[in-house]
Amino acid sequence: FPYTTLFRSDMLALAQYWYERDNAIPAVIAATYLEFYTAEPITTLRDAEVLALEQGIISRALKPTSYEDLSCVVKGLYNKPSWFVWWE
């Protein structure tokens, strides 16, 4: 499903995966994006990098194409209580 419209079942599976791993709760579910909230933000750079790469699988807009791109996405996820993932 990369770079295409996600199916409802894909969104639910993604939400369940991030809930089980990060205690992230879908706060907003829209046609082209999901916003997640967690009371326990990601507190390691390694975990933020993993999440950034996972988001890149789903979203061409979030796909890091260089270390600088990855660094920007990681910075947006690290120690933050919410994050977005969107697709085309």
Side-chain angles (χ1 to χ4, degrees), residues 53-68:
L53 292 171
E54 291 170 349
Q55 288 184 353
I57 292 169
I58 298 162
S59 173
R60 187 178 332 202
L62 294 172
K63 182 177 182 174
T65 58
S66 69
Y67 180 76
E68 290 172 355

Side-chain angles (χ1 to χ4, degrees), residues 31-42:
T32 58
Y33 73 92
L34 297 171
E35 179 182 2
F36 289 86
Y37 171 79
T38 181
E40 301 170 18
I42 294 173

